[in-house]
Amino acid sequence: MEGGIRPGSRRRGRAVRKGTYVIFVVFFVLPLLVTGCRSDNGSPEYFYHEAKIDTVEFAITDKVPPQVNAIIHGTLPDACTEIDSVNQEIQYQTFIVTITTRRPLHEVCAQTVTPFQVTIPLAVEGLPAGVYTVNVNGVTETFELETGTPIPAQ
């Protein structure tokens, strides 16, 4: 034996390392690859983002009480992105509307900008007459309620 190394010991060390590598791949890497692209409910995972908004317009009815619809125009960045949710809340005299999109994480998509339009009835019941601001993902516009809107009797 030279220097305390037995002949053939290097080969056994490589075989052990190779076996360890195979065990690592089989038990740790493959399960991540198989489950990594699925959520708990089995559907593909998505990337969520706020929609890009271009314009906000209003359609106000002549009815009493008036109804106000926000007509929102925007663009989606590719063919796979879709509107996921539309939420609104009111803080003082400002309606805050959030439109989110979702896109599958592991999809290859055509990079075509696609316009969209969403019409949202604003919750104006019980509001007094006045000027109101609507903020949709950072784009703001105002409208005026000329008469207050009573709260409907239940």
Side-chain angles (χ1 to χ4, degrees):
M1 256 201 265
E2 288 180 9
I5 300 176
R6 287 186 283 155
S9 66
R10 285 188 177 168
R11 285 190 186 147
R12 271 189 252 128
R14 286 186 189 154
V16 170
R17 277 187 248 142
K18 191 173 188 179
T20 305
Y21 176 73
V22 170
I23 290 171
F24 176 77
V25 169
V26 169
F27 289 106
F28 295 103
V29 176
L30 287 178
L32 286 175
L33 291 176
V34 171
T35 61
C37 59
R38 297 279 175 197
S39 64
D40 291 338
N41 62 9
S43 63
E45 289 187 23
Y46 293 92
F47 171 73
Y48 294 88
H49 197 266
E50 284 191 356
K52 182 185 179 309
I53 305 304
D54 298 323
T55 62
V56 179
E57 301 169 343
F58 302 102
I60 304 173
T61 66
D62 291 335
K63 293 181 183 179
V64 176
Q67 296 172 347
V68 180
N69 289 320
I71 304 164
I72 301 160
H73 297 270
T75 53
L76 301 173
D78 57 49
C80 295
T81 301
E82 61 188 12
I83 301 293
D84 179 60
S85 65
V86 178
N87 297 302
Q88 71 170 286
E89 62 180 274
I90 187 166
Q91 295 178 358
Y92 303 104
Q93 288 190 279
T94 301
F95 288 88
I96 299 169
V97 178
T98 305
I99 301 176
T100 58
T101 61
R102 71 179 190 173
R103 179 189 188 285
L105 283 175
H106 304 292
E107 291 273 329
V108 177
C109 303
Q111 297 299 306
T112 0
V113 174
T114 307
F116 71 85
Q117 176 181 314
V118 176
T119 301
I120 302 167
L122 297 175
V124 296
E125 289 178 351
L127 296 179
V131 175
Y132 291 86
T133 301
V134 177
N135 179 336
V136 184
N137 294 2
V139 175
T140 59
E141 288 294 334
T142 60
F143 70 92
E144 183 175 0
L145 271 181
E146 291 180 5
T147 60
T149 57
I151 298 174
Q154 293 184 4

